[in-house]
Amino acid sequence: TELTYMTCSYNKFSSGYLDISANKKLTCIYTDGCGLHTIYVWEGFNEADYPDFHKDASTRYVVKGQGYGGPSILSDIPDENFRAYVHENFDYDGNGDVTTDEALRVESIDLNTDNVYSLEGIRYFENLGSLVARGTEYYEDWKYRGQLTELDLSYNQKLYNIWCGFNHIKYIKFHPDAIIETLNIGYNQELTGFSELHMSKLTYVALRETMVT
Protein backbone atom coordinates (compact mmCIF):
# COMPACT_ATOMS: atom_id res chain seq x y z
CA THR A 1 0.00 0.00 0.00
CA GLU A 2 0.99 3.69 -0.10
CA LEU A 3 0.61 4.16 3.67
CA THR A 4 3.56 6.04 5.19
CA TYR A 5 2.25 7.19 8.59
CA MET A 6 0.05 5.48 11.20
CA THR A 7 -0.91 6.41 14.73
CA CYS A 8 -3.08 4.26 16.98
CA SER A 9 -1.53 4.87 20.39
CA TYR A 10 -3.56 3.70 23.39
CA ASN A 11 -6.13 1.91 21.26
CA LYS A 12 -6.80 -1.59 22.53
CA PHE A 13 -6.48 -4.33 19.93
CA SER A 14 -8.62 -7.30 20.93
CA SER A 15 -6.43 -9.59 18.82
CA GLY A 16 -3.23 -8.44 20.52
CA TYR A 17 -1.37 -8.03 17.24
CA LEU A 18 -0.98 -5.60 14.33
CA ASP A 19 -0.10 -6.74 10.80
CA ILE A 20 1.86 -4.15 8.80
CA SER A 21 3.68 -6.71 6.64
CA ALA A 22 2.09 -5.33 3.46
CA ASN A 23 2.98 -1.69 4.27
CA LYS A 24 6.63 -1.46 3.36
CA LYS A 25 6.43 2.29 2.72
CA LEU A 26 5.67 3.04 6.36
CA THR A 27 8.21 5.40 7.89
CA CYS A 28 6.44 6.31 11.14
CA ILE A 29 4.00 4.45 13.39
CA TYR A 30 2.83 4.97 16.95
CA THR A 31 1.52 1.86 18.73
CA ASP A 32 2.62 2.64 22.27
CA GLY A 33 0.01 1.95 24.91
CA CYS A 34 -1.88 -0.52 22.72
CA GLY A 35 -0.92 -3.61 24.69
CA LEU A 36 0.20 -5.41 21.53
CA HIS A 37 2.22 -8.58 21.92
CA THR A 38 3.22 -8.77 18.23
CA ILE A 39 3.67 -6.53 15.21
CA TYR A 40 4.00 -8.52 11.99
CA VAL A 41 6.52 -7.00 9.58
CA TRP A 42 7.94 -7.80 6.16
CA GLU A 43 10.92 -10.00 5.34
CA GLY A 44 14.16 -8.03 5.60
CA PHE A 45 12.75 -5.62 8.19
CA ASN A 46 15.41 -4.16 10.51
CA GLU A 47 14.16 -2.27 13.53
CA ALA A 48 17.28 -0.06 13.58
CA ASP A 49 16.30 1.35 10.17
CA TYR A 50 13.01 2.70 11.53
CA PRO A 51 13.70 5.08 14.44
CA ASP A 52 10.18 6.53 14.12
CA PHE A 53 8.49 3.21 14.81
CA HIS A 54 7.18 3.56 18.36
CA LYS A 55 5.91 0.60 20.38
CA ASP A 56 5.72 -0.74 23.93
CA ALA A 57 8.85 -2.44 25.22
CA SER A 58 6.98 -5.74 25.53
CA THR A 59 5.83 -5.71 21.90
CA ARG A 60 7.79 -7.95 19.58
CA TYR A 61 8.41 -7.58 15.84
CA VAL A 62 7.88 -10.86 14.00
CA VAL A 63 8.40 -11.41 10.29
CA LYS A 64 5.08 -12.60 8.91
CA GLY A 65 5.15 -16.36 8.43
CA GLN A 66 8.35 -17.05 10.36
CA GLY A 67 6.80 -17.46 13.79
CA TYR A 68 8.07 -17.83 17.34
CA GLY A 69 10.83 -20.16 18.41
CA GLY A 70 10.93 -23.13 20.72
CA PRO A 71 9.27 -26.53 20.57
CA SER A 72 5.52 -27.04 20.40
CA ILE A 73 3.63 -27.43 23.67
CA LEU A 74 0.32 -28.65 22.26
CA SER A 75 1.29 -32.32 22.38
CA ASP A 76 1.91 -31.93 26.13
CA ILE A 77 -1.66 -30.75 26.77
CA PRO A 78 -3.76 -33.94 26.89
CA ASP A 79 -7.15 -32.32 27.57
CA GLU A 80 -8.58 -31.56 24.15
CA ASN A 81 -10.65 -28.59 25.29
CA PHE A 82 -7.80 -26.93 27.19
CA ARG A 83 -5.57 -27.60 24.16
CA ALA A 84 -8.15 -25.97 21.88
CA TYR A 85 -8.31 -22.93 24.19
CA VAL A 86 -4.51 -22.57 24.14
CA HIS A 87 -4.41 -22.95 20.37
CA GLU A 88 -7.17 -20.43 19.79
CA ASN A 89 -5.79 -17.76 22.12
CA PHE A 90 -2.01 -18.10 22.08
CA ASP A 91 -1.06 -18.98 18.50
CA TYR A 92 0.31 -15.47 18.15
CA ASP A 93 1.95 -15.97 14.76
CA GLY A 94 -1.00 -17.83 13.27
CA ASN A 95 1.03 -20.81 12.09
CA GLY A 96 -1.27 -23.41 13.66
CA ASP A 97 1.00 -24.19 16.61
CA VAL A 98 1.86 -22.83 20.06
CA THR A 99 5.50 -22.90 21.11
CA THR A 100 7.33 -22.42 24.40
CA ASP A 101 8.22 -18.85 23.35
CA GLU A 102 4.56 -18.04 22.80
CA ALA A 103 3.62 -19.60 26.14
CA LEU A 104 6.13 -17.36 27.91
CA ARG A 105 4.27 -14.30 26.61
CA VAL A 106 1.01 -15.31 28.30
CA GLU A 107 0.15 -13.40 31.48
CA SER A 108 -3.48 -14.42 31.97
CA ILE A 109 -5.72 -17.40 31.32
CA ASP A 110 -9.50 -17.20 31.61
CA LEU A 111 -11.62 -20.21 30.68
CA ASN A 112 -14.73 -22.08 31.68
CA THR A 113 -14.01 -25.60 32.94
CA ASP A 114 -17.39 -27.26 32.40
CA ASN A 115 -15.74 -29.41 29.73
CA VAL A 116 -12.11 -29.17 30.85
CA TYR A 117 -10.88 -32.08 32.96
CA SER A 118 -7.22 -31.16 33.28
CA LEU A 119 -4.91 -28.15 33.01
CA GLU A 120 -1.86 -30.35 32.49
CA GLY A 121 0.60 -28.35 30.42
CA ILE A 122 0.01 -25.11 32.33
CA ARG A 123 3.58 -25.44 33.56
CA TYR A 124 4.79 -23.92 30.29
CA PHE A 125 3.12 -20.61 31.17
CA GLU A 126 5.85 -19.48 33.51
CA ASN A 127 4.86 -15.80 33.34
CA LEU A 128 1.23 -16.45 34.14
CA GLY A 129 -0.05 -13.90 36.66
CA SER A 130 -3.81 -14.46 36.62
CA LEU A 131 -5.65 -17.76 36.33
CA VAL A 132 -9.43 -17.93 36.08
CA ALA A 133 -10.56 -21.53 35.55
CA ARG A 134 -14.03 -21.79 36.99
CA GLY A 135 -17.04 -23.94 36.32
CA THR A 136 -20.68 -22.95 36.11
CA GLU A 137 -22.53 -22.73 39.40
CA TYR A 138 -25.64 -24.90 39.45
CA TYR A 139 -27.64 -24.35 42.62
CA GLU A 140 -30.67 -26.53 41.90
CA ASP A 141 -29.02 -29.66 43.29
CA TRP A 142 -25.90 -27.88 44.70
CA LYS A 143 -23.56 -29.43 42.16
CA TYR A 144 -20.95 -27.67 40.10
CA ARG A 145 -20.29 -28.24 36.43
CA GLY A 146 -16.55 -27.56 36.44
CA GLN A 147 -14.64 -30.76 35.80
CA LEU A 148 -11.22 -30.05 37.31
CA THR A 149 -10.23 -32.51 40.05
CA GLU A 150 -6.61 -31.47 40.58
CA LEU A 151 -4.53 -28.35 40.02
CA ASP A 152 -0.74 -28.31 39.84
CA LEU A 153 0.60 -24.74 39.69
CA SER A 154 4.04 -25.61 41.00
CA TYR A 155 5.78 -24.09 37.95
CA ASN A 156 3.82 -20.84 37.95
CA GLN A 157 5.84 -18.66 40.28
CA LYS A 158 4.39 -15.35 39.08
CA LEU A 159 0.77 -16.18 39.88
CA TYR A 160 -0.93 -13.57 42.04
CA ASN A 161 -4.62 -14.01 41.15
CA ILE A 162 -6.44 -17.36 41.21
CA TRP A 163 -10.15 -17.99 40.75
CA CYS A 164 -10.93 -21.68 40.33
CA GLY A 165 -14.29 -22.15 41.98
CA PHE A 166 -17.20 -24.42 41.06
CA ASN A 167 -15.00 -27.42 40.25
CA HIS A 168 -14.23 -30.70 42.01
CA ILE A 169 -10.62 -29.96 42.91
CA LYS A 170 -9.24 -32.04 45.78
CA TYR A 171 -5.82 -30.44 46.26
CA ILE A 172 -3.87 -27.49 44.83
CA LYS A 173 -0.10 -27.37 44.56
CA PHE A 174 1.49 -23.91 44.35
CA HIS A 175 4.99 -22.79 43.46
CA PRO A 176 6.76 -22.36 46.82
CA ASP A 177 7.74 -18.77 45.96
CA ALA A 178 4.44 -17.63 44.49
CA ILE A 179 3.07 -14.55 46.23
CA ILE A 180 -0.70 -14.80 45.96
CA GLU A 181 -2.84 -11.68 46.38
CA THR A 182 -6.30 -13.04 45.49
CA LEU A 183 -7.25 -16.65 46.22
CA ASN A 184 -10.78 -17.65 45.29
CA ILE A 185 -11.02 -21.44 45.42
CA GLY A 186 -14.40 -21.83 47.09
CA TYR A 187 -17.14 -24.15 45.89
CA ASN A 188 -14.82 -27.12 45.54
CA GLN A 189 -16.61 -29.43 47.96
CA GLU A 190 -13.87 -32.07 47.90
CA LEU A 191 -10.98 -29.63 48.41
CA THR A 192 -9.04 -30.66 51.52
CA GLY A 193 -6.06 -28.33 51.28
CA PHE A 194 -3.21 -26.80 49.33
CA SER A 195 0.55 -26.57 49.53
CA GLU A 196 2.31 -23.89 51.54
CA LEU A 197 2.28 -20.42 50.02
CA HIS A 198 3.34 -16.90 50.89
CA MET A 199 0.53 -14.81 52.34
CA SER A 200 2.33 -11.51 52.85
CA LYS A 201 0.30 -9.80 50.11
CA LEU A 202 -2.89 -11.81 50.41
CA THR A 203 -5.88 -9.46 50.37
CA TYR A 204 -8.77 -11.79 49.50
CA VAL A 205 -9.52 -15.44 50.31
CA ALA A 206 -12.64 -17.43 49.47
CA LEU A 207 -12.94 -20.99 50.80
CA ARG A 208 -16.69 -21.38 51.02
CA GLU A 209 -18.06 -24.89 50.45
CA THR A 210 -14.69 -26.65 50.78
CA MET A 211 -13.24 -29.04 53.34
CA VAL A 212 -10.26 -26.80 54.11
CA THR A 213 -9.84 -26.27 57.83
Side-chain angles (χ1 to χ4, degrees):
T1 69
E2 300 300 314
L3 188 66
T4 61
Y5 176 89
M6 175 189 297
T7 178
C8 51
S9 296
Y10 299 99
N11 287 342
K12 294 302 180 183
F13 289 74
S14 59
S15 64
Y17 68 84
L18 175 66
D19 187 349
I20 61 170
S21 60
N23 306 104
K24 294 184 179 181
K25 292 187 178 182
L26 274 171
T27 58
C28 180
I29 61 172
Y30 289 87
T31 62
D32 43 309
C34 292
L36 295 170
H37 53 69
T38 304
I39 298 177
Y40 293 116
V41 294
W42 52 88
E43 188 172 357
F45 175 86
N46 184 352
E47 183 177 357
D49 296 333
Y50 296 88
D52 292 324
F53 275 30
H54 305 275
K55 65 178 182 62
D56 295 327
S58 60
T59 305
R60 177 178 176 179
Y61 290 117
V62 175
V63 175
K64 186 72 177 288
Q66 290 191 4
Y68 286 76
S72 172
I73 69 170
L74 293 180
S75 61
D76 290 333
I77 300 177
D79 187 284
E80 62 178 346
N81 290 312
F82 182 42
R83 185 169 63 247
Y85 170 86
V86 169
H87 181 217
E88 179 180 349
N89 290 276
F90 308 131
D91 178 15
Y92 293 137
D93 55 19
N95 69 350
D97 201 359
V98 178
T99 67
T100 52
D101 279 2
E102 287 171 305
L104 289 174
R105 299 188 68 80
V106 177
E107 296 181 355
S108 66
I109 287 176
D110 187 338
L111 79 162
N112 180 277
T113 56
D114 287 359
N115 294 299
V116 174
Y117 291 79
S118 170
L119 295 185
E120 184 177 344
I122 201 171
R123 63 189 177 90
Y124 289 106
F125 299 91
E126 295 179 16
N127 292 316
L128 187 66
S130 176
L131 173 64
V132 178
R134 65 189 297 266
T136 301
E137 57 266 48
Y138 187 58
Y139 293 113
E140 184 175 338
D141 56 3
W142 209 244
K143 293 181 179 179
Y144 314 130
R145 295 177 179 174
Q147 300 299 321
L148 294 180
T149 59
E150 60 181 24
L151 192 56
D152 185 350
L153 304 173
S154 58
Y155 288 85
N156 306 103
Q157 180 179 351
K158 296 186 178 181
L159 266 177
Y160 63 87
N161 174 61
I162 300 172
W163 189 2
C164 296
F166 302 104
N167 282 287
H168 299 277
I169 299 171
K170 297 178 176 66
Y171 190 80
I172 302 175
K173 187 175 182 180
F174 295 107
H175 189 288
D177 295 321
I179 301 178
I180 306 300
E181 299 176 16
T182 303
L183 183 63
N184 190 333
I185 53 177
Y187 300 101
N188 283 283
Q189 293 177 328
E190 299 166 76
L191 182 66
T192 59
F194 45 84
S195 63
E196 185 176 350
L197 75 161
H198 291 281
M199 295 189 179
S200 59
K201 293 188 176 181
L202 195 63
T203 59
Y204 180 90
V205 179
L207 298 171
R208 184 175 181 179
E209 292 297 320
T210 71
M211 298 174 66
V212 177
T213 58

